[in-house]
């Protein structure tokens, strides 16, 4: 039987002084190259855990745990947490931070020292939730990789750059609707779940952040096309987003005439543009590709 998560406000979470002290001891300076901005506000990580609706039976995967601010809050609320960290110094330090601050939960924590884009399996039971402050420069590819690789992830809450949050949650017809919006919608119902100010980070980024909630579809989209086939249509449609689909999909279909035939068969106007289509309409186009 698993031990129940701690619910007391034990002071296990990291504050600004703790973060700077840890960073100084490790000789860590957050790097732009890896899009690192450490959360230094305990109330913010509590809010993320609450918004993610982390349950006592959840197995949470976290990408880019950094110094462990969010990791500790997740570990207090979930059954177990697996963190994926690419940075050598941060990965080496995290287990001892967990052991020092939440000793009663340390056996519920696992670390995978790897690039998240290369992760194909995780230790322990399959993850049920993904909760992460994603590095800005790789947020979308990492999110899509994790959703594709781990179908057991039912709920996701990620903190990303506000602009990326808007893009992920955009609906057809919105000017920022694009490839990330459609691909995220393939897996899940996506919505904005709040905003995060700049002052809760160290260093403070020069952009605002947003929370995005993704609840996986209870049933995958019913289609004879593969995900790769559907995503190829999406990529082609938005590669030249000002063009009509007849023109934009010419390369994908083999010719403009073949693109038109697939569009007509799918019940979509050849004069339409990618930004007006739902994920189901992209699926229909993929299914109707000739030859």
């Amino acid at each position: 039987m698993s031990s129940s998560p701690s619910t007391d406000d034990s002071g296990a979470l990291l504050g600004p002084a703790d973060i700077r002290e840890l960073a100084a001891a490790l000789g860590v300076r957050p790097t732009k190259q890896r899009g690192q901005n450490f959360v230094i506000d305990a109330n913010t990580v509590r809010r993320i855990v609450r918004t993610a609706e982390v349950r006592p039976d959840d197995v949470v995967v976290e990408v880019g745990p950094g110094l462990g601010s969010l990791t500790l809050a997740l570990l207090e609320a979930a059954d177990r947490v697996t963190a994926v960290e690419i940075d050598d110094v941060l990965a080496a330090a995290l287990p001892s931070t967990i052991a020092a601050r939440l000793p009663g939960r340390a056996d519920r924590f696992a670390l995978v020292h790897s690039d998240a884009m290369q992760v194909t399996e995780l230790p322990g039971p399959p993850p049920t939730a993904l909760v992460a402050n994603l590095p800005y420069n790789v947020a979308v590819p990492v999110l899509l990789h994790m959703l594709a690789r781990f179908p057991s992830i039912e709920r996701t809450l990620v903190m990303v750059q506000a602009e990326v949050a808007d893009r992920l949650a955009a609906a057809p017809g919105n000017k920022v609707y694009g490839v990330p919006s459609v691909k995220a919608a393939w897996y899940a119902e996506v919505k904005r779940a709040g905003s995060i100010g700049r002052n809760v980070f160290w260093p403070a980024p020069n952009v605002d952040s947003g929370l995005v909630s993704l609840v996986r579809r209870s049933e995958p989209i019913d289609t004879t096309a593969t995900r790769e086939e559907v995503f190829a249509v999406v990529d082609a449609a938005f590669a030249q987003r000002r063009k009509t689909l007849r023109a934009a999909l010419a390369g994908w279909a083999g010719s403009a005439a073949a693109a038109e035939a697939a569009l007509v068969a799918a019940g979509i106007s050849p004069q339409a543009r990618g930004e007006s289509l739902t994920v189901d309409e992209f699926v229909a186009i993929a299914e109707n590709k000739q030859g």
Side-chain angles (χ1 to χ4, degrees), residues 202-287:
W202 172 66
N206 53 10
V207 292
D208 292 321
S209 299
L211 297 175
V212 181
S213 156
L214 300 96
V215 177
R216 193 181 287 268
R217 292 169 177 266
S218 49
E219 292 292 325
I221 291 175
D222 183 20
T223 174
T224 54
T226 65
R227 181 182 74 232
E228 290 77 12
E229 287 167 345
V230 175
F231 283 13
V233 181
V234 177
D235 289 335
F238 287 103
Q240 301 165 299
R241 62 185 298 150
R242 292 184 182 284
K243 291 193 172 180
T244 64
L245 286 169
R246 183 183 191 277
L249 297 180
W252 163 82
S255 69
E260 179 162 346
L263 288 159
V264 170
I268 293 155
S269 164
Q271 300 310 306
R273 288 179 169 77
E275 62 212 34
S276 67
L277 268 53
T278 64
V279 65
D280 294 305
E281 289 172 313
F282 281 109
V283 167
I285 297 168
E287 287 177 339

Side-chain angles (χ1 to χ4, degrees), residues 3-242:
S3 59
S4 65
S6 129
T7 50
D8 65 59
D9 193 7
S10 57
L13 303 188
L14 299 169
D18 302 312
I19 294 279
R20 290 199 167 84
E21 201 177 299
L22 258 176
L26 297 171
V28 166
R29 294 291 310 166
T31 76
K32 241 198 174 86
Q33 178 202 349
R34 289 202 168 141
Q36 289 169 331
N37 297 90
F38 299 132
V39 180
I40 56 173
D41 179 58
N43 286 328
T44 297
V45 295
R46 280 196 196 95
R47 179 185 155 201
I48 290 169
V49 171
R50 205 167 50 241
T51 307
E53 296 178 8
V54 174
R55 302 188 292 247
D57 60 345
D58 270 323
V59 177
V60 179
V61 58
E62 180 191 10
V63 175
L67 292 165
S69 310
L70 179 56
T71 320
L72 289 161
L74 287 168
L75 209 45
E76 284 187 332
D79 183 46
R80 52 183 66 236
V81 175
T82 300
V84 180
E85 178 57 68
I86 189 172
D87 186 289
D88 296 343
V89 175
L90 295 173
L94 194 53
S96 50
T97 301
I98 301 295
R101 300 190 77 94
L102 272 182
R105 306 288 297 156
D107 63 335
R108 307 247 142 215
F109 172 73
L111 176 82
V112 175
H113 180 197
S114 173
D115 177 348
M117 293 297 291
Q118 306 301 320
V119 169
T120 55
E121 56 184 8
L122 293 167
T128 57
L130 165 64
V131 185
N133 167 21
L134 289 178
Y136 285 172
N137 47 354
V138 293
V140 171
V142 164
L143 173 64
L144 294 174
H145 170 75
M146 296 300 284
L147 289 173
R149 194 70 222 181
F150 301 103
S152 60
I153 294 172
E154 299 157 12
R155 286 163 293 118
T156 295
L157 187 81
V158 290
M159 177 158 59
V160 292
Q161 196 172 326
E163 186 188 321
V164 175
D166 290 340
R167 236 180 269 157
L168 282 166
N174 187 305
K175 67 179 192 303
V176 296
Y177 182 74
V179 171
S181 331
V182 185
K183 291 184 178 179
W186 165 269
Y187 297 104
E189 186 183 317
V190 189
K191 63 173 202 250
R192 278 294 298 259
S195 298
I196 303 279
R198 305 175 187 198
N199 59 344
V200 303
F201 295 98
W202 172 66
N206 53 10
V207 292
D208 292 321
S209 299
L211 297 175
V212 181
S213 156
L214 300 96
V215 177
R216 193 181 287 268
R217 292 169 177 266
S218 49
E219 292 292 325
I221 291 175
D222 183 20
T223 174
T224 54
T226 65
R227 181 182 74 232
E228 290 77 12
E229 287 167 345
V230 175
F231 283 13
V233 181
V234 177
D235 289 335
F238 287 103
Q240 301 165 299
R241 62 185 298 150
R242 292 184 182 284

